[in-house]
Amino acid sequence: MPLDKPILLVGPMGAGKTTIGQALAQTLKVSYIDNDDLIITTMRQSYPDITIPEIFARWGEDFFREQERNCLKSIITVSPFPYQVIAGGGGIVGPEPNRALIKQYTYCLYLDLPVEEQYARVKGDTNRPMLKAPDVMARIKELALKRDPLYREVACAIIDANAPIATVVERCLSALPRS
């Protein structure tokens, strides 16, 4: 299926953006990239062993969001775009300039997931700087309240991600525009 815009997957931590993105790209037989991986690749040109938690620790969330926007912009504003399925980070919708880019240049699918399932999927993951909190469930709820309206703002379709991978991929395919 030829796409006139790249597909961007957004949603909370644990929603499956990476897993679904890879499976969706494979099903569509198109290219895929995880925006967080691109941030790391770009940052490692200057800091060879940097990780996302280290970026947050050294420079803060605002710096990370700027890198996130720069990387996203670099892959969605070129034509033909090099990646047709992109997994965005959980907080990519936070800054307004990111939302403007997403709305203008992508077909955005919001992978929606209940907070209880998010918690079950990410509770032991130490590579998620946004979950550094005494009460992880409370932090997930806080992020959901803040981000859900922003995911909805940029979404062309909302996909229930609380299902097996194949089912979620089918839901994504059904939500894509027909050519």
Side-chain angles (χ1 to χ4, degrees), residues 24-81:
L24 182 61
Q26 185 175 20
T27 301
L28 291 170
K29 296 179 177 39
V30 298
S31 56
Y32 163 83
I33 192 165
D34 185 304
N35 200 52
D36 284 352
D37 289 346
L38 184 57
I39 293 166
I40 291 300
T41 299
T42 303
M43 291 291 297
R44 283 189 176 160
Q45 293 172 13
S46 300
Y47 304 93
D49 297 322
I50 200 79
T51 64
I52 288 176
E54 289 172 21
I55 294 170
F56 271 78
R58 287 176 80 168
W59 297 288
E61 183 180 0
D62 289 344
F63 176 84
F64 178 80
R65 298 297 170 211
E66 183 181 331
Q67 302 314 302
E68 192 172 50
R69 178 174 41 263
N70 292 341
C71 288
L72 181 64
K73 188 175 184 178
S74 76
I75 56 179
I76 64 175
T77 60
V78 296
S79 183
F81 37 87

Side-chain angles (χ1 to χ4, degrees), residues 74-148:
S74 76
I75 56 179
I76 64 175
T77 60
V78 296
S79 183
F81 37 87
Y83 301 100
Q84 294 180 319
V85 177
I86 305 161
I92 198 167
V93 296
E96 192 286 323
N98 291 13
R99 295 194 305 279
L101 274 174
I102 291 167
K103 289 187 273 190
Q104 181 175 357
Y105 291 102
T106 75
Y107 190 81
C108 183
L109 300 178
Y110 168 20
L111 300 183
D112 191 18
L113 191 69
V115 292
E116 297 78 17
E117 185 61 26
Q118 289 175 48
Y119 178 76
R121 292 182 185 186
V122 302
K123 63 183 172 193
D125 191 337
T126 59
N127 283 326
R128 297 185 185 271
M130 295 304 293
L131 292 183
K132 298 254 188 269
D135 185 341
V136 173
M137 180 57 131
R139 181 67 174 143
I140 289 171
K141 287 179 180 178
E142 174 190 337
L143 289 170
L145 280 172
K146 180 180 174 183
R147 292 177 176 173
D148 180 71

Side-chain angles (χ1 to χ4, degrees), residues 143-165:
L143 289 170
L145 280 172
K146 180 180 174 183
R147 292 177 176 173
D148 180 71
L150 304 177
Y151 294 136
R152 291 176 185 279
E153 176 188 329
V154 299
C156 297
I158 299 169
I159 308 298
D160 179 359
N162 196 15
I165 295 167

